[in-house]
Amino acid sequence: METSVMAAPKSKEAAPERIEAVILFAETRGFTRTSAILPAPVVLARLAEFFAVVRAAVERQGGTVRNVLNDTLMASFSGKAREHKAVQAAQEIQRDFAQFEESWERDFGIRAAVAIGLHAGDTVIGTAAGAMPGQPLVIGDNVSIADRLLHRARAGEYVLSKPVMDALVAAGVALEAQALPPLEIPRREPVQLYGVLRDTRLDFT
């Protein structure tokens, strides 16, 4: 599988490092298609609300926002209890976005929810010559896998991999998650997945 390379928002240049990290992807479901018929200011204002919710949850749990593209945000968590903090951030994102769901549908005809993917693994973070100056890159198979988990997630669901679940179990953190069909990757061991759906009524995609 090809390694993903994603540019992070501009920040102070830091020395390259290889670390164990949890990658979190979060995106809206149902928003992008509806946005095609909405005025541009409405689209941008609604995305601003979504990104504010995600960024706040990530930063409360000690994570770092790494990239924003279209209606998707990527963040990373490192250090002690990183898996627990990433899952807490996912739970807070789902909880806090709920405040917009009714108003978006009522005022703009947008039926939307959040989908999230989380995976843990080896990650290289740093700047690279020829890339955008001052913008760290986040590189690793775990970025690709987390992105695939995001696209496995249903509206209102977050999907996490076995490495994340194993770390939660080892730390004594209880999580009611449903085992999902594994992620099949050519020439690689399948990745066992688990899903947590906030509300089955949100599963409209």
Side-chain angles (χ1 to χ4, degrees):
M1 182 175 65
E2 294 183 358
T3 298
S4 286
V5 178
M6 301 195 71
K10 189 174 182 179
S11 61
K12 294 182 179 180
E13 188 168 334
E17 58 179 345
R18 182 183 296 276
I19 62 173
E20 289 295 315
V22 179
I23 301 297
L24 177 152
F25 279 95
E27 73 174 8
T28 60
R29 289 290 167 81
F31 175 80
T32 304
R33 181 171 53 187
T34 308
S35 70
I37 61 174
L38 294 173
V42 172
V43 173
L44 294 177
R46 302 293 74 76
L47 275 182
E49 291 173 340
F50 168 66
F51 288 137
V53 164
V54 179
R55 179 180 291 274
V58 166
E59 293 181 348
R60 278 196 302 268
Q61 296 301 329
T64 302
V65 172
R66 295 294 182 180
N67 184 58
V68 174
L69 178 65
N70 197 17
D71 63 347
T72 302
L73 183 147
M74 183 182 78
S76 67
F77 297 79
S78 58
K80 186 177 180 180
R82 55 187 173 271
E83 292 86 359
H84 189 198
K85 291 177 181 178
V87 169
Q88 285 184 305
Q91 293 170 335
E92 291 179 10
I93 291 166
Q94 297 285 27
R95 179 198 69 199
D96 296 344
F97 184 75
Q99 66 181 302
F100 298 112
E101 291 170 6
E102 182 179 349
S103 63
W104 281 22
E105 186 169 10
R106 181 188 65 241
D107 299 337
F108 308 106
I110 302 170
R111 190 181 182 202
V114 181
I116 301 171
L118 305 101
H119 181 61
D122 182 76
T123 310
V124 171
I125 299 176
T127 56
M132 290 179 286
Q135 294 194 351
L137 302 176
V138 182
I139 307 167
D141 273 355
N142 61 327
V143 177
S144 297
I145 293 173
D147 183 48
R148 291 192 183 201
L149 268 56
L150 169 68
H151 292 98
R152 276 287 190 91
R154 296 168 287 178
E157 183 179 39
Y158 63 91
V159 172
L160 54 153
S161 63
K162 189 174 187 295
V164 178
M165 180 64 82
D166 287 348
L168 296 179
V169 172
V173 178
L175 182 66
E176 293 185 7
Q178 178 183 3
L180 302 176
L183 173 65
E184 301 286 348
I185 303 174
R187 299 179 297 279
R188 298 275 294 274
E189 288 294 322
V191 180
Q192 181 60 57
L193 306 181
Y194 301 88
V196 180
L197 189 62
R198 181 169 68 84
D199 186 338
T200 55
R201 293 172 299 175
L202 296 175
D203 180 22
F204 51 81
T205 58

